[in-house]
Amino acid sequence: MKFLSVELEHVFAYDRKATVDLSGTTEDQNIVLIWGRNGMGKTSFLNALKLLFTGVEHPSSRVVGFPPRSLPPRQYVVGDGAGWSGLINQPARRRAENEGRPVVASVKAMWEADGLIVTAEREWKYDGATFMESLLVFDGKDRLVKEAAEARLEDFLPKDFVGFFFFDGEDIKSMAENAERKQIDFDRLLRITFLTEATAELKKYITERQRAMTRNGVFETLHAVEVELTRTTGEAEVARHKLEEIDDRLLNDTVELRRLTTRRENLSSGASEAQREALDTRRLALRGQLDETSAAIATELPPDVPMLANLGLVHQALEAVETRLGAAGAAEVALVRRVRTELPAWIEEAPVDLDPTQIAALSQAIGDRLDALVAGSSDNGLFSTIELGRADRLRTSLLRWATLGPDRRGIQVAKLTEAQRFRVELEQVEEALMEIEVGSQANLETYKKVVAEIAKIEDRIAEYNQRKGVLDGKLNELAGREKELKERQKRLQESRDAEAEKNRHLRFYNAVVRTLNEVTEGLRREMRGRIESLINNRLQLLLTDHPLIDKITLDESYTMFFLDGAGRPIGRSSLSSGMKQLAATALLWAMKDSAGYGMPVVIDTPLARIDRINQTNLLRGYYPKLSHQVIVLPTDAEIDQTKLEMLRPYIWKEFTLRNQDTGESAEIVEESLVGD
């Protein structure tokens, strides 16, 4: 790629349109000098050319000031009001504001590449409120805008590479003094970034999948379900075992019941049906009466028992309450109670506006004070501290029990006596039935024992059947739970198998990541070896025989280390700033050549702190060989007449930057700043 021309208008220090013709450079005369004193517009020219390829959206293009800071796009274009005046030229901006029209800043370049003539122009339009950036690329006959234009520029020079081809001496100086540079920059330049990016994307995917698997908690949930299923299955097994035991006992008791029933029938004398029917009727009636009386006792007696069983204590408590009320004065107590009742209404009638809550609170407070006034009794009995209203209510309750208690106790005693009578009579009727049934007194005791055994077995069978019903219900519930858990287990096992498959994939991806890392590191080692060779080769061209430095090596982050003739490390503090700058220049040169991009190189402040001898090496061995087209932006202090003569064979043309005192009206003229 070869620049044919560069045109600037209303950008940075360039108020009017300024054009540089670069079309005549050749392989032998590949250098163009654009002279300029400090503040004339050299840095503006370099930055504008960078912005053509990056635009202001790229963060590295918006770094200004010292210490460096990155401005937002709008502040970078129109200024931040704190020392940065913006990308748009200030005089042009003021004229546009006065005329009520937008101002447009632009940078345009034309170049030749692969037999095509390409023109790229980037503009920034500002209307006083907002700005808009646009890019137009003519690629042969094709007109490209927006994303297509940006993509086409990337083909010629990717945004991340701009700083390696368009730079000033301060960039090299910074690299030399800091001894560090972001490894990713070099990876991009060496075209191995895709490996690190692919590795990073794979790692990101692996991490996200692992987090998703952790959030799903399939393995933990499956374990919990299997534990619950085991517990449920165990409970069901225990219940079935108990049912089997009950069935065995029921079988044995049923056989025994049949045997005892047969024996009871054998012992029966076959009494008349009339006698048996009469006694059965009486027995049923007695049982009904006994049940009814027992139910009444069970309902009424329990709440009354504490009082009915302790009527003496009731009388003593009543006397103590009467003493308490007597000590305070019954009239006072009645008065306080009545006042308490009337207080809310009285307060509501008062000429004070209170809400219901306040009225209730005030009534309670006054009532408590009144109770305290009538509570000043010298009585020190059981209820000496009880509140009078409560004491009055207690007296009413105790008086009722003291008065009605004896009668209620008599009623309950009568019911208990009646129940006892029914029970005794029932036993007599059942005894008579047995005697009628057996007929012989000799067999009566045996008959009674058989009947008792039958009743015991029937009760036991009833209990077994009840327990069997409970166990059957529990088994049904456990069977449903077991079925539900098995279905859930099946679903979770399917999810687990899917997760296991994903784990297998993740293991494969991790293996790919390891392989990519190994390949990347292998490429870096190979590239570092090649670059080390290039650096040392280029350093020999830049550095006149130096007694200290014999070789430069690079570590994994492309940091340079210096060795002497014996292979011993040389401390960086032992090297001059110029020496380190030459080493950094050699590194950039080697990296550029390794990248393989056929781009022109633009350099501002080219010689910086380099000593005179090594400046000669730069002039003769660096700039003529750096690229097929090199644009140098020097001051007359850097390149004097003698140095200019060294470069003269390689120079196609010279231009000089002229500017007004304000530094905002730069123009480019074809002349040399250094006289013949």
Side-chain angles (χ1 to χ4, degrees):
M1 171 180 169
K2 172 185 172 181
F3 281 125
L4 301 178
S5 65
V6 175
E7 181 182 293
L8 310 177
E9 184 175 18
H10 300 160
V11 60
F12 295 125
Y14 294 85
D15 182 11
R16 308 293 179 179
K17 184 180 295 186
T19 304
V20 179
D21 176 17
L22 305 170
S23 61
T25 57
T26 64
E27 184 176 345
D28 295 328
Q29 291 185 311
N30 62 325
I31 296 177
V32 174
L33 295 182
I34 302 178
W35 298 89
R37 295 187 175 88
N38 294 330
M40 292 293 104
K42 298 193 309 302
T43 302
S44 293
F45 183 92
L46 178 67
N47 289 339
L49 197 55
K50 285 183 179 180
L51 286 170
L52 173 65
F53 288 90
T54 65
V56 298
E57 292 302 319
H58 198 266
S60 64
S61 67
R62 305 192 305 270
V63 177
V64 302
F66 186 83
R69 56 194 176 102
S70 182
L71 295 177
R74 185 181 186 282
Q75 291 185 16
Y76 183 80
V77 172
V78 303
D80 65 351
W84 174 251
S85 58
L87 176 155
I88 298 175
N89 179 265
Q90 291 298 301
R93 177 177 168 182
R94 288 192 292 270
R95 285 197 306 274
E97 290 175 353
N98 292 335
E99 297 170 7
R101 59 175 175 79
V103 61
V104 178
S106 67
V107 55
K108 179 179 179 181
M110 180 185 298
W111 62 83
E112 182 182 2
D114 299 326
L116 291 177
I117 302 299
V118 180
T119 302
E121 182 175 13
R122 194 181 294 270
E123 292 184 348
W124 297 269
K125 184 177 182 180
Y126 179 61
D127 61 5
T130 59
F131 84 93
M132 181 177 68
E133 181 181 86
S134 62
L135 174 65
L136 177 64
V137 174
F138 285 96
D139 186 6
K141 296 181 179 179
D142 296 328
R143 182 180 185 275
L144 308 174
V145 296
K146 298 182 179 179
E147 291 82 1
E150 296 286 356
R152 187 61 178 128
L153 274 190
E154 285 276 321
D155 293 337
F156 292 108
L157 181 60
K159 291 180 172 61
D160 293 304
F161 294 6
V162 170
F164 290 100
F165 292 89
F166 306 156
F167 56 89
D168 63 27
E170 293 301 319
D171 292 333
I172 301 175
K173 172 186 170 186
S174 175
M175 182 192 302
E177 293 181 348
N178 293 334
E180 296 174 352
R181 195 171 182 89
K182 292 181 181 178
Q183 180 171 301
I184 190 170
D185 289 342
F186 291 102
D187 286 348
R188 289 186 186 280
L189 194 62
L190 299 175
R191 300 180 182 177
I192 59 174
T193 311
F194 74 95
L195 289 174
T196 54
E197 290 176 349
T199 303
E201 286 299 317
L202 273 176
K203 286 181 177 179
K204 182 180 177 182
Y205 173 78
I206 291 169
T207 301
E208 289 175 352
R209 288 303 313 153
Q210 288 173 337
R211 287 176 179 171
M213 291 166 64
T214 302
R215 286 195 301 270
N216 290 341
V218 172
F219 294 94
E220 293 79 1
T221 306
L222 177 60
H223 176 70
V225 168
E226 289 177 339
V227 169
E228 178 69 11
L229 180 59
T230 301
R231 185 187 66 79
T232 303
T233 303
E235 288 185 9
E237 187 64 29
V238 170
R240 280 191 287 269
H241 180 68
K242 289 181 178 179
L243 271 177
E244 290 174 358
E245 290 182 350
I246 289 174
D247 285 337
D248 290 342
R249 291 178 182 178
L250 276 172
L251 179 61
N252 293 334
D253 281 350
T254 301
V255 172
E256 181 65 13
L257 181 61
R258 285 200 297 267
R259 186 186 69 79
L260 289 172
T261 301
T262 301
R263 189 176 181 194
R264 183 185 65 183
E265 291 173 354
N266 291 336
L267 290 171
S268 175
S269 63
S272 68
E273 287 298 324
Q275 290 176 315
R276 185 182 292 108
E277 184 177 353
L279 287 171
D280 275 338
T281 301
R282 180 59 181 159
R283 182 177 62 179
L284 291 173
L286 287 171
R287 280 184 176 174
Q289 290 173 319
L290 179 60
D291 291 342
E292 183 179 348
T293 304
S294 298
I297 293 171
T299 302
E300 299 173 4
L301 185 58
D304 295 345
V305 164
M307 305 302 288
L308 297 180
N310 298 283
L311 287 177
L313 291 177
V314 170
H315 284 284
Q316 292 178 22
L318 180 59
E319 290 176 2
V321 171
E322 292 286 2
T323 301
R324 171 72 179 99
L325 292 173
E332 289 86 342
V333 173
L335 178 62
V336 168
R337 187 164 57 249
R338 184 169 180 183
V339 169
R340 268 187 173 277
T341 303
E342 299 293 336
L343 259 177
W346 294 346
I347 295 173
E348 190 172 358
E349 293 172 359
V352 180
D353 188 13
L354 299 175
D355 60 40
T357 304
Q358 293 172 322
I359 292 173
L362 184 58
S363 300
Q364 181 66 37
I366 294 174
D368 291 344
R369 290 295 183 91
L370 291 173
D371 287 342
L373 289 175
V374 299
S377 170
S378 59
D379 174 53
N380 56 1
L382 179 63
F383 299 106
S384 60
T385 60
I386 192 172
E387 184 263 331
L388 293 179
R390 188 176 178 189
D392 191 48
R393 292 191 296 274
L394 181 58
R395 179 179 64 177
T396 301
S397 179
L398 290 172
L399 185 60
R400 180 170 61 84
W401 280 107
T403 303
L404 302 178
D407 292 339
R408 296 190 65 161
R409 184 164 62 180
I411 292 171
Q412 295 297 340
V413 169
K415 288 182 179 179
L416 288 169
T417 302
E418 186 178 18
Q420 180 63 21
R421 181 174 61 78
F422 289 148
R423 184 177 296 281
V424 170
E425 189 174 350
L426 180 61
E427 290 175 355
Q428 290 173 350
V429 170
E430 289 178 343
E431 186 76 18
L433 274 170
M434 285 187 184
E435 290 177 356
I436 291 173
E437 190 72 32
V438 177
S440 170
Q441 188 65 33
N443 293 334
L444 182 60
E445 291 302 321
T446 303
Y447 186 83
K448 288 182 179 180
K449 289 180 181 178
V450 171
V451 170
E453 284 295 324
I454 289 173
K456 187 185 298 183
I457 290 175
E458 287 176 340
D459 289 343
R460 198 161 59 231
I461 288 174
E463 179 188 353
Y464 286 155
N465 283 324
Q466 182 182 12
R467 289 170 57 190
K468 185 176 179 181
V470 172
L471 286 171
D472 282 335
K474 184 175 182 180
L475 265 178
N476 288 333
E477 179 184 346
L478 290 172
R481 178 65 175 157
E482 193 173 16
K483 180 181 178 182
E484 176 189 342
L485 288 170
K486 284 181 177 179
E487 291 175 352
R488 192 177 177 194
Q489 180 190 38
K490 182 180 178 181
R491 291 194 301 270
L492 288 169
Q493 285 174 340
E494 291 172 353
S495 297
R496 179 200 60 190
D497 293 342
E499 293 295 324
E501 182 66 15
K502 291 176 183 175
N503 267 332
R504 188 180 70 80
H505 291 163
L506 290 183
R507 288 194 295 272
F508 171 74
Y509 293 147
N510 277 316
V512 172
V513 167
R514 289 193 297 272
T515 302
L516 286 175
N517 283 331
E518 291 171 0
V519 170
T520 303
E521 288 308 311
L523 284 174
R524 282 181 180 149
R525 284 193 297 271
E526 180 182 346
M527 293 298 291
R528 280 201 306 275
R530 202 167 84 197
I531 293 169
E532 281 183 6
S533 176
L534 285 171
I535 288 174
N536 286 286
N537 175 268
R538 301 299 185 265
L539 188 64
Q540 296 302 317
L541 298 175
L542 299 175
L543 186 62
T544 300
D545 185 33
H546 194 277
L548 191 57
I549 298 177
D550 180 68
K551 184 180 180 182
I552 294 177
T553 61
L554 299 174
D555 69 1
E556 291 79 0
S557 62
Y558 298 90
T559 299
M560 292 183 293
F561 292 89
F562 303 93
L563 305 178
D564 63 14
R568 294 177 300 229
I570 302 172
R572 300 186 66 83
S573 59
S574 302
L575 300 175
S576 66
S577 297
M579 193 63 60
K580 288 184 284 188
Q581 187 168 335
L582 282 173
T585 301
L587 173 61
L588 274 181
W589 192 359
M591 296 293 290
K592 184 192 75 67
D593 289 348
S594 296
Y597 277 96
M599 282 293 300
V601 174
V602 182
I603 307 173
D604 182 17
T605 316
L607 300 181
R609 303 182 186 183
I610 308 300
D611 60 58
R612 181 173 296 276
I613 294 177
N614 289 307
Q615 283 183 1
T616 300
N617 292 335
L618 283 174
L619 295 170
R620 288 178 174 171
Y622 177 56
Y623 298 118
K625 300 178 181 179
L626 181 57
S627 175
H628 61 279
Q629 187 179 49
V630 180
I631 302 168
V632 182
L633 302 164
T635 66
D636 56 355
E638 290 180 282
I639 300 180
D640 56 19
Q641 184 65 42
T642 302
K643 297 172 186 173
L644 180 59
E645 291 304 319
M646 296 180 191
L647 278 178
R648 182 74 67 189
Y650 312 105
I651 297 173
W652 171 68
K653 191 174 287 188
E654 297 179 59
F655 298 89
T656 297
L657 296 174
R658 304 294 184 187
N659 211 325
Q660 301 297 326
D661 294 337
T662 61
E664 296 176 330
S665 301
E667 58 181 354
I668 303 175
V669 296
E670 186 177 339
E671 65 179 18
S672 176
L673 186 64
V674 178
D676 292 333

